């Protein structure tokens, strides 16, 4: 019997400490705090909307919850006014800060995107100029190559003509020499008299 009594006593003492959980008063103007789990009990104060409280106990039959507020007061309020969600009074500054951070990040991202876009545009313009210069250089080189090929063709034709002329000159020169030699061979015997031989065969 003593053991059972001790266990019940320990559980009753431990329950409020184990039950104390962070909660918030719902976003109403305020709610009254009663001395017991009903509106029949006297009002011991009020709790402002959004104020954080500690949940100590819940009386499901009456629909009231026991809480302690930031001033250390303990009392009972309607359970429908106790919520797990942070109140707007606490969430709103957080949301505003998050919104400010998002806007800042968005502005930075937009600035970075604009910078990258400007850099890409500049790079693209530079590449386009380089391509245009290369195309112009290629066109100039092609024209120079065509002109050089035409000049080489003309020089080769001229060289071939000169070779033919030189060959004809060589042939004419050789033919003249051969003809002159032949003519000289025919004329010289008649011009230069032969020596007569003596009867004895001695000159």
């Amino acid at each position: 019997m003593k053991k059972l009594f001790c266990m019940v006593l320990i559980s009753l003492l431990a329950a409020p400490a184990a039950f104390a959980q962070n909660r918030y008063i719902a976003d109403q103007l305020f709610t009254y705090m009663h001395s017991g789990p009903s509106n029949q009990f006297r009002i011991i104060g009020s709790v402002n909307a959004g104020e954080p409280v500690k949940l100590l106990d819940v009386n499901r039959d009456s629909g009231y919850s026991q809480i302690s507020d930031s001033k250390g007061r303990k009392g009972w309020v309607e359970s429908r006014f106790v919520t797990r969600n942070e109140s707007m009074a606490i969430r709103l500054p957080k949301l505003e800060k998050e919104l400010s951070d998002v806007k800042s990040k968005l502005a930075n991202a937009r600035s970075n995107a604009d910078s990258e876009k400007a850099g890409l545009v500049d790079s693209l313009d530079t590449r386009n100029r380089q391509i245009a210069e290369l195309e112009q250089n290629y066109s100039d080189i092609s024209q120079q190559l065509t002109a050089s090929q035409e000049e080489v063709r003309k020089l080769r034709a001229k060289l071939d003509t000169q070779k033919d002329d030189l060959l004809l000159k060589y042939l004419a020169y050789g033919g003249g020499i051969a003809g002159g030699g032949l003519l000289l061979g025919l004329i010289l015997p008649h011009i230069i008299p032969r020596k007569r031989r003596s009867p004895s065969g001695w000159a």
Side-chain angles (χ1 to χ4, degrees), residues 105-122:
K105 289 178 181 179
L106 182 61
N108 290 334
R110 186 172 299 168
S111 177
N112 292 335
D114 291 340
S115 298
E116 290 178 1
K117 181 180 177 182
L120 290 175
V121 170
D122 292 341

Side-chain angles (χ1 to χ4, degrees), residues 115-129:
S115 298
E116 290 178 1
K117 181 180 177 182
L120 290 175
V121 170
D122 292 341
S123 177
L124 183 60
D125 291 341
T126 302
R127 294 291 174 86
N128 288 335
R129 284 196 300 270

